[in-house]
């Protein structure tokens, strides 16, 4: 029946309802608590290269400094390890029994 999906609830209100449910009922407080869709290694490599190319063109002196390319690579790697380039896999979430209450 999908009451929440079919109702006239505004998106931001729905997001807050889901967030509150996740935090209070399921003790999910981080994006990594959810099923995730993450870029493939090939996509990550392309994204890093694109970031490097843009930075090199926009701020060439900075890019050449110790705080430039090396720092960008290190930050990118750290962000990837923290799953910052991932999104919540909504298709998987709605399949989980814990979430069925919201969709019934």
């Amino acid at each position: 029946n999908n009451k929440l999906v079919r109702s006239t609830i505004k998106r931001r209100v729905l997001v807050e309802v889901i967030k509150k449910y996740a935090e209070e009922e399921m003790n999910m407080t981080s994006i990594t608590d959810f099923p995730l869709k993450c870029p493939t290694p090939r996509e990550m490599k392309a994204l890093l290269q694109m970031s490097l190319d843009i930075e090199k063109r926009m701020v060439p002196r900075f890019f050449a400094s110790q705080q430039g390319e090396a720092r960008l690579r290190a930050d990118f790697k750290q962000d990837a390890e923290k799953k910052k380039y991932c999104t919540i896999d909504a298709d998987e979430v709605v399949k989980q029994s814990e979430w069925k209450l919201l969709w019934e």
Side-chain angles (χ1 to χ4, degrees):
N1 196 343
N2 293 335
K3 291 178 187 173
L4 285 179
V5 175
R6 292 185 186 181
S7 73
T8 58
I9 294 176
K10 293 187 181 209
R11 180 177 287 224
R12 73 175 188 279
V13 173
L14 181 58
V15 167
E16 286 304 313
V17 167
I18 292 170
K19 182 178 179 203
K20 185 175 180 179
Y21 180 80
E23 290 173 351
E24 295 178 5
E25 301 297 324
M26 300 178 71
N27 199 30
M28 299 174 98
T29 57
S30 168
I31 190 172
T32 58
D33 293 332
F34 292 87
L36 299 174
K37 281 187 181 178
C38 299
T40 65
R42 185 177 186 184
E43 291 167 331
M44 290 297 290
K45 185 176 180 180
L47 182 58
L48 173 59
Q49 190 58 54
M50 189 183 320
S51 297
L52 293 169
D53 292 345
I54 290 169
E55 185 136 341
K56 188 175 185 178
R57 276 185 279 147
M58 299 295 288
V59 285
R61 276 192 188 160
F62 178 75
F63 185 78
S65 74
Q66 286 184 326
Q67 294 297 315
E69 180 180 1
R71 182 65 179 257
L72 180 60
R73 286 180 181 277
D75 289 348
F76 188 90
K77 181 179 179 187
Q78 185 177 35
D79 289 345
E81 289 168 355
K82 291 180 180 178
K83 308 290 186 190
K84 289 190 175 184
Y85 300 104
C86 301
T87 59
I88 294 175
D89 186 341
D91 293 331
E92 284 303 311
V93 168
V94 297
K95 291 177 187 174
Q96 294 178 342
S97 61
E98 300 90 351
W99 291 96
K100 297 225 186 250
L101 173 68
L102 288 176
W103 317 124
E104 293 177 346

